[in-house]
Amino acid sequence: MTLETIWFCVIALFWLGYLFLEGFDFGVGMLMPVLAKDNTERRVMVNTIGPVWDGNEVWLIVAGGAMFAAFPGWYASLFSAAYLPLLVVLLALIGRGVAFEYRGKVDSDRWRRNWDRVIGIGSWIPPFGVGLLLATTVLGLPLDADGNRVGGPFAALSLETLLGAIAVVGFSLVHGAAFLALKTEGDLRHRARNLATRLLPVALLPLLAFLIVVQLRSGDLWTLLLIGLAVVAAVVAWFRIRMGREGQAFAALGGVIGASAVAIFVALYPNVLPSTLDAANTLTIAGEASSPYTLTVMTWVALFGAPAVLIYQGWTYWVFRKRIGTRHIPPVHAP
């Protein structure tokens, strides 16, 4: 296996990590107005992701950085064509992070409600934008011979790419509900579990539809098997969440997004960004990869750096592994 292929697989792994970890993260934010009955329950929901949300966002930075270093042509063509949606995603992520820190700074219901709205908006926009970006990279852009986008800033928008964006949003909703059922206790846990049971068959339909589109466009037997695996994992997740086995359901949802992401990148390989104008303009792994020396240096850095990051993040999840409920939330006090 060449270094170019290895780094293509590594970048796919980074995107998978982001979809899995930030999926439930965004889902919790999206569900705050739906599940929480009062400020105490909203504080419980925020605390379930409080220790990990900023670490989860690192995966997006690493995925983008790896694309820039390993396949600069891929990064340049894709990200330059998506400046506007990426800017909106960035603003939403900034607002969401600020809201987490500021919502408890003033003892005012109006203050908290406003910041909770920012959390909600900042949790809906990024999964939509990331889904649009990934759908674009697998379905293609109108690229000319120089790798430049032809058309306006919305040239990437189509029914298929919008379907991909909605697919990530739907998965995040289900994943967030399952995570809340896993991490909370009492009435909030039961409401989250019931919501996950009702949401799962409907919210995952856009993901299945998008995978079918990818299969019809550029799939093969391997991608078909992976789509089948994703469907089986979704069925397992639904049965497990109904039985109150939240941990097993959460793991099965990880199987859903894992098999889906692998299917997408397998269908994309050996390309990195198809051209919808002319197949001759399609960007490939071999054509867009950095020099062997650059990839070698990146590989050595990753061999030392990646395990440290994974160990630290795994330790964080282990330390904060217990359930929390309203009984763990102290009374509100003025700062």
Side-chain angles (χ1 to χ4, degrees), residues 173-228:
L173 278 171
V174 175
H175 206 32
F179 179 77
L180 286 171
L182 176 64
K183 284 289 293 178
T184 59
E185 61 182 30
D187 188 45
L188 182 58
R189 172 191 177 186
H190 295 303
R191 275 184 272 130
R193 187 173 66 201
N194 292 335
L195 181 62
T197 304
R198 295 195 302 269
L199 271 179
L200 194 150
V202 178
L204 293 187
L205 282 179
L207 179 59
L208 176 60
F210 179 71
L211 291 175
I212 292 173
V213 170
V214 172
Q215 177 67 27
L216 294 175
R217 287 282 190 92
S218 54
D220 55 19
L221 179 59
W222 288 108
T223 54
L224 185 60
L225 291 174
L226 288 165
I227 293 172

Side-chain angles (χ1 to χ4, degrees), residues 22-88:
E22 278 287 73
F24 71 77
D25 197 327
F26 290 136
V28 171
M30 288 189 279
L31 292 172
M32 278 182 63
V34 178
L35 281 178
K37 291 183 176 180
D38 52 36
N39 180 57
T40 303
E41 289 191 345
R42 283 191 289 272
R43 290 174 67 190
V44 170
M45 293 178 69
V46 170
N47 285 350
T48 61
I49 58 175
V52 298
W53 69 266
D54 48 354
N56 293 342
E57 289 185 354
V58 171
W59 289 80
L60 176 62
I61 299 171
V62 174
M67 288 174 64
F68 172 77
F71 302 98
W74 180 14
Y75 175 91
S77 295
L78 179 62
F79 280 62
S80 63
Y83 272 146
L84 188 57
L86 285 175
L87 176 61
V88 176

